[in-house]
Amino acid sequence: MATILDGKVIADEIRAEVAEKTAARKAAGKRQPGLAAVLVGDDPASHVYVKMKRKACEKAGIQSFYYELPASTPQAELETLVAKLNADPAVHGILVQLPLPKGLDEERVLQAIDIRKDVDGFHPLNIGRLAQKGREPLFLPATPAGVMVLLQRSGVKLEGANAVVLGRSNIVGMPVALLLIEANATVTVCHSRTKNLKEVCASADVLVAAVGRPEMVKRDWIKPGAVVIDVGVNRIDDPTAEKGTRLVGDVAYEEALDVAGAITPVPGGVGPMTIAMLLANTLKAAELADS
Ligand code: NDP
């Protein structure tokens, strides 16, 4: 039976550490860390995520600023808002919730964010540094950083391990793969054109699933004793659930429990880590602004 890697417990530890350091800043007369969240359009999942992030900020003593814009917002207006936030000393971190509505140029918006305020870690410079040996990014993207901290704080040995990352998105798969390489794992990245996917996954000592396909990773895709990190968040129909739906990951959790050595649940695994890392990044941004 697999050990359950409880992301909520580790995320609570990080949130408590951030709250403590934020309180110490206050006591020392330093500026309160501030995070500005920008939400464009009416994607329901994005609204839920932003609400959770703002609530977590308040709990950690981080000031939260919020900008909700209609989907019809012109590119120039969004970039003007980003410029205003770049110039605002009370704002240490800028979070533009992705995905942006169609018609807006995501890359241009991300590039407009001051790299010292890029707490989501998606600025091309931050990602570029992540891909280069010996070049430290200022901020790591929150979900990939959360995956790594979860592994590290759970005592998973990465050096020399065979790691397989299922998914190659800019937001999750690719940065996770780069971070695993940095941690000296031997990394294989799989995607929709990968052949013998099941066999490749079954060779992993550490398997990170970030495909967005409900319960795709079955029992026989997992090497006995492997560490399985399930990043996926998928809503599926479930007539027995109160709402008629429930959340599942990219891994068939119940069957995986029998074969994996350790596994993250969904919900309660990577999700809480993402928010905790965003708070940690915002604190780091405030510390950077001091210097
Ligand atoms: P994307 O849709 O951007 O990327 C999915 C990746 O999976 C792509 O690289 C795609 O390959 C690959 N893929 C899709 N279908 C298959 C398949 N059948 N076989 C092999 N590979 C496949 O998703 P994201 O990376 O943004 O998100 C992945 C999951 O993580 C989602 O469920 C999302 O909700 C969740 N997520 C969770 C977060 C959290 O905080 N817990 C944060 C962010 C995301 P190709 O490149 O070839 O198209």
Side-chain angles (χ1 to χ4, degrees):
M1 188 77 172
T3 304
I4 295 171
L5 303 177
D6 192 332
K8 206 176 162 307
V9 169
I10 299 175
D12 282 349
E13 281 169 24
I14 293 167
R15 286 166 67 150
E17 287 161 21
V18 171
E20 201 177 303
K21 288 185 184 153
T22 300
R25 285 180 63 81
K26 195 176 172 191
K30 291 184 181 160
R31 208 187 265 275
Q32 183 184 16
L35 176 71
V38 180
L39 179 57
V40 191
D42 43 23
D43 178 61
S46 292
H47 273 262
V48 172
Y49 291 142
V50 169
K51 198 171 161 193
M52 282 161 66
K53 290 169 185 174
R54 294 179 65 209
K55 214 168 133 193
C57 277
E58 277 160 34
K59 277 196 179 162
I62 292 174
Q63 196 175 1
S64 148
F65 303 89
Y66 180 50
Y67 299 85
E68 195 177 322
L69 306 174
S72 58
T73 303
Q75 178 84 20
E77 195 177 317
L78 183 54
E79 287 181 28
T80 303
L81 172 61
V82 169
K84 189 182 120 191
L85 298 172
N86 280 342
D88 185 343
V91 172
H92 299 102
I94 302 170
L95 160 94
V96 177
Q97 184 65 38
L98 301 178
L100 288 173
K102 281 203 175 67
L104 287 169
D105 184 337
E106 191 173 291
E107 197 185 343
R108 261 179 53 198
V109 174
L110 295 179
Q111 209 156 345
I113 297 173
D114 183 333
I115 187 174
R116 287 162 304 176
K117 299 194 177 190
D118 177 38
V119 288
D120 246 349
F122 293 143
H123 190 290
L125 256 180
N126 268 325
I127 292 287
R129 286 184 183 174
L130 186 61
Q132 290 174 298
K133 205 174 160 69
R135 309 264 165 87
E136 279 276 300
L138 280 177
F139 300 101
L140 295 176
T143 301
V147 167
M148 296 307 289
V149 172
L150 190 55
L151 286 166
Q152 284 149 2
R153 293 208 181 189
S154 306
V156 175
K157 191 171 172 285
L158 294 172
E159 182 155 332
N162 280 332
V164 172
V165 181
L166 194 43
R168 59 173 166 183
S169 72
N170 290 341
I171 293 179
V172 190
M174 193 55 81
V176 166
L178 294 169
L179 286 165
L180 286 167
I181 291 171
E182 200 197 357
N184 295 322
T186 303
V187 181
T188 306
V189 181
C190 300
H191 44 77
S192 61
R193 317 288 164 83
T194 298
K195 292 193 178 125
N196 306 324
L197 198 54
K198 180 171 99 177
E199 287 72 23
V200 178
C201 290
S203 71
D205 303 315
V206 176
L207 177 62
V208 181
V211 264
R213 304 265 179 241
E215 302 183 320
M216 184 172 108
V217 177
K218 308 289 184 209
R219 181 196 170 91
D220 57 352
W221 292 43
I222 300 168
K223 181 173 168 178
V227 175
V228 179
I229 305 292
D230 190 354
V231 185
V233 180
N234 310 290
R235 191 166 285 286
I236 60 164
D237 291 335
D238 180 356
T240 66
E242 201 181 310
K243 286 185 190 160
T245 62
R246 72 187 158 95
L247 289 181
V248 295
D250 290 343
V251 179
Y253 183 73
E254 293 301 331
E255 19 181 303
L257 273 178
D258 281 343
V259 56
I263 187 166
T264 56
V266 176
V270 175
M273 292 301 297
T274 297
I275 294 187
M277 298 319 294
L278 176 69
L279 302 181
N281 277 351
T282 305
L283 172 65
K284 184 177 176 187
E287 287 167 349
L288 275 175
D290 293 340
S291 52

